[in-house]
Amino acid sequence: MTTKLGNFVNGATVAGTGDTLEVTNPANQEVLATIPYATAAEIDAAVAAAGDAQREWREVPTPERARLMFKYQELLKANHDDIARILSLETGKTFDDAKGDVWRGIEVVEHACNVSSMLMGETVENVARRIDTYSVIQPLGVCAGITPFNFPAMIPLWMFPLAVACGNGFVLKPSEQDPMTPMRLAELFSEAGAPDGILQVIHGGKDQVDALLTHRDIKAVSFVGSVPVAKYIYQTAAQNLKRVQALAGAKNHMVIMPDANKDQAISSLVGASCGAAGQRCMAISACILVGEAREWVDDIAEAMAAVRPGVWDDEDAGYGPQITQAAKDRIVGFIERGDEEGARLVLDGRDCTVDGYPDGNWVGPTLFADVTPEMSIYREEIFGPVLVSSGVETLSDAIDLINQNPYGNGVSIFTSSGGAARTFQHEIEVGQVGINVPIPVPLPFFSFTGWKDSFFGDLHTYGKQAVRFYTETKTVTARWLDEMAPATANMTIRLQ
């Protein structure tokens, strides 16, 4: 049965009046739901309602806002598996992958429960005689989030819980490819006690995104997606005087030193490159084998060949399908290009099939060796279960190669040498570094800190930086005259 979704406005699902789009299961192309594209009038109404709710919400004491987050994380945990099932159906993720998606979002909600201490200002007494200066942290107003298909639970939960906990209203525009999960998150947020209107969810494509980027009452925009779109989001929103954080693509490397634990390194590499069908911005898509580790290519291929895709409830499946046929076609095009450019195609996943699901968007694990930086499969983000590998003589060569790459999202090194690890973490020009950890996504009390072309903006998502992103700092300088103190010249303000 096909579900008819609406926009989520003022705490309830409202049928839209615009054109509709079908949401399909990528494993079999079954139509799961339809969504309405929000009209300009519906977007204006959603933003206005969020603004009305925010003006009251900002006056709610921060401990009460924190209690909302405590209740919300409790509901998310109680409904964890049900959310994961919805997520699996519309993304194709395996159930374990889907549960991880939900859980990493819950961790950010738990972080938002600590909002009171994160909103503390600073005070200095007697900056001049009998004059004190202190700062207070206040919300921006109405903020917007534009989220991608690959993590429909985690990434919305990176955004609106912290924004709302800081006292803002929020308008979420989730991916039109898997909107069922974000809608369920919104329903649970309302059930937890969130005021009607403080979170609005509107559906659509580029026109709806543009409406948010240019809307006069939107103060800040958070985005996660590909590099070209992230640049567009950043430029358009900034030109319209919005505060922006735009998380973009990546070409994440894993460096394997010859002294690494071979089994651990290869197992981690395979999971990090094929997990979630390679559809994550922190996936390892490039491997650099140093010194004698260059002889490990066949072992990597053997381990990758043992991984197979499948449907969400197949407990033996390593990952699911690509989100759309177009995404699959793009990956296949990269594999063909890499072969034409002279890379050695060690493992070819183009002809992958899954029994009983002939219409699924399947791509098998794929491995290229002898890849050079000039090749398109090295330069561009493929966003699939495709791993490219290169060999170098020394750690210094590996560092130089990675630092020349325009992306800087994540990187890891596998080694048993503390000196090599210390040199690597210090010299590498990448924002998130793993040492014997393949995907170094930080927990929410840190921030997600991509560099270079992997991030456009000044303040990163979640952690302390996100609190700064969603708030303004007001500085107050005060003097209270004491009736018992003489009004002498030495009380003159001297702040120069």
Side-chain angles (χ1 to χ4, degrees):
M1 181 177 177
T2 301
T3 302
K4 290 187 178 180
L5 299 178
N7 298 306
F8 191 81
V9 180
N10 285 330
T13 300
V14 178
T17 59
D19 295 337
T20 60
L21 178 74
E22 292 181 342
V23 180
T24 59
N25 182 333
N28 59 14
Q29 311 312 319
E30 174 192 1
V31 176
L32 300 172
T34 60
I35 57 168
Y37 275 25
T39 65
E42 288 167 346
I43 293 172
D44 283 342
V47 175
D52 291 341
Q54 189 271 336
R55 281 184 283 277
E56 294 186 17
W57 178 244
R58 64 171 291 164
E59 303 302 331
V60 172
T62 53
E64 291 186 32
R65 294 189 222 148
R67 289 183 198 116
L68 169 63
M69 298 304 152
F70 275 109
K71 180 61 177 176
Y72 188 42
Q73 60 91 21
E74 179 183 343
L75 279 175
L76 289 173
K77 290 175 181 177
N79 290 272
H80 177 272
D81 285 4
D82 290 336
I83 299 169
R85 288 188 186 94
I86 296 171
L87 194 156
S88 290
L89 287 175
E90 63 179 349
T91 65
K93 286 188 178 184
T94 65
F95 193 42
D96 282 345
D97 262 350
K99 288 191 289 186
D101 187 332
V102 177
W103 186 256
R104 291 309 299 263
I106 291 174
E107 290 176 333
V108 179
V109 180
E110 290 177 334
H111 178 59
C113 294
N114 190 38
V115 67
S116 296
S117 64
M118 293 188 289
L119 293 177
M120 293 172 64
E122 299 174 313
T123 301
V124 175
E125 186 181 45
N126 283 336
V127 295
R129 289 185 181 273
R130 303 186 62 82
I131 295 176
D132 306 326
T133 297
Y134 51 93
S135 63
V136 293
I137 311 300
Q138 296 185 334
L140 291 176
V142 179
C143 305
I146 302 160
T147 58
F149 75 85
N150 57 332
F151 286 93
M154 181 184 76
I155 294 179
L157 292 174
W158 279 7
M159 297 179 184
F160 74 81
L162 274 173
V164 172
C166 289
N168 299 290
F170 202 88
V171 179
L172 176 66
K173 207 299 288 182
S175 170
E176 62 275 23
Q177 294 171 315
D178 46 15
M180 297 167 64
T181 302
M183 286 292 288
R184 185 64 183 134
L185 298 180
E187 292 167 355
L188 289 172
F189 197 49
S190 182
E191 186 179 334
D196 291 347
I198 204 68
L199 171 64
Q200 313 275 44
V201 182
I202 58 101
H203 302 293
K206 183 179 184 301
D207 290 344
Q208 288 70 27
V209 168
D210 286 342
L212 294 176
L213 298 180
T214 59
H215 201 289
R216 64 186 181 279
D217 294 328
I218 297 292
K219 304 302 182 184
V221 176
S222 184
F223 169 82
V224 178
S226 66
V227 171
V229 181
K231 287 182 177 179
Y232 173 80
I233 295 288
Y234 178 74
Q235 292 169 351
T236 305
Q239 287 171 357
N240 283 273
L241 306 180
K242 316 298 182 194
R243 188 177 292 182
V244 193
Q245 53 179 205
L247 286 71
K251 198 71 179 181
N252 304 311
H253 296 72
M254 179 187 289
V255 174
I256 300 181
M257 299 295 291
D259 64 354
N261 181 305
K262 183 177 179 179
D263 291 341
Q264 180 196 35
I266 291 177
S267 175
S268 298
L269 175 62
V270 172
S273 60
C274 295
Q279 298 176 124
R280 50 188 177 190
C281 67
M282 287 295 288
I284 295 295
S285 55
C287 174
I288 301 179
L289 304 171
V290 180
E292 296 175 3
R294 288 176 292 185
E295 305 300 322
W296 297 359
V297 172
D298 290 341
D299 299 292
I300 295 170
E302 182 180 355
M304 291 184 71
V307 179
R308 63 171 184 81
V311 293
W312 74 275
D313 57 353
D314 180 351
E315 295 182 357
D316 295 324
Y319 60 89
Q322 304 305 305
I323 188 67
T324 62
Q325 181 65 43
K328 173 184 174 179
D329 292 344
R330 179 177 180 274
I331 295 166
V332 168
F334 270 111
I335 297 173
E336 292 171 350
R337 222 176 308 164
D339 198 23
E340 293 167 359
E341 291 172 338
R344 181 161 60 96
L345 184 53
V346 183
L347 186 64
D348 188 349
R350 284 176 289 184
D351 296 326
C352 177
T353 59
V354 173
D355 290 343
Y357 294 88
D359 297 324
N361 307 319
W362 309 109
V363 178
T366 300
L367 174 63
F368 281 100
D370 305 327
V371 175
T372 62
E374 296 76 24
M375 296 177 180
S376 61
I377 55 172
Y378 179 81
R379 295 196 316 271
E380 300 183 47
E381 184 178 34
I382 299 174
F383 221 60
V386 180
L387 177 65
V388 303
S389 66
S390 305
V392 297
E393 289 284 345
T394 66
L395 175 60
S396 179
D397 294 333
I399 292 171
D400 290 343
L401 181 61
I402 296 169
N403 285 348
Q404 291 170 23
N405 193 278
Y407 297 109
N409 218 28
V411 69
S412 63
I413 183 171
F414 275 68
T415 181
S416 59
S417 167
R422 176 63 175 80
T423 296
F424 184 79
Q425 74 170 47
H426 179 69
E427 296 185 5
I428 206 70
E429 296 171 4
V430 176
Q432 297 168 115
V433 181
I435 298 173
N436 297 318
V437 173
I439 300 181
V441 177
L443 287 171
F445 34 87
F446 290 91
S447 294
F448 189 96
T449 52
W451 285 12
K452 298 191 288 188
D453 280 359
S454 293
F455 179 75
F456 302 97
D458 297 310
L459 295 167
H460 292 87
T461 193
Y462 66 73
K464 293 179 181 179
Q465 291 195 38
V467 172
R468 291 175 61 197
F469 178 77
Y470 289 122
T471 59
E472 291 278 22
T473 301
K474 180 182 290 183
T475 305
V476 180
T477 300
R479 178 178 68 173
W480 291 97
L481 298 180
D482 187 340
E483 294 180 359
M484 302 299 294
T488 60
N490 66 2
M491 290 178 60
T492 303
I493 299 176
R494 294 184 179 90
L495 296 178
Q496 293 86 354

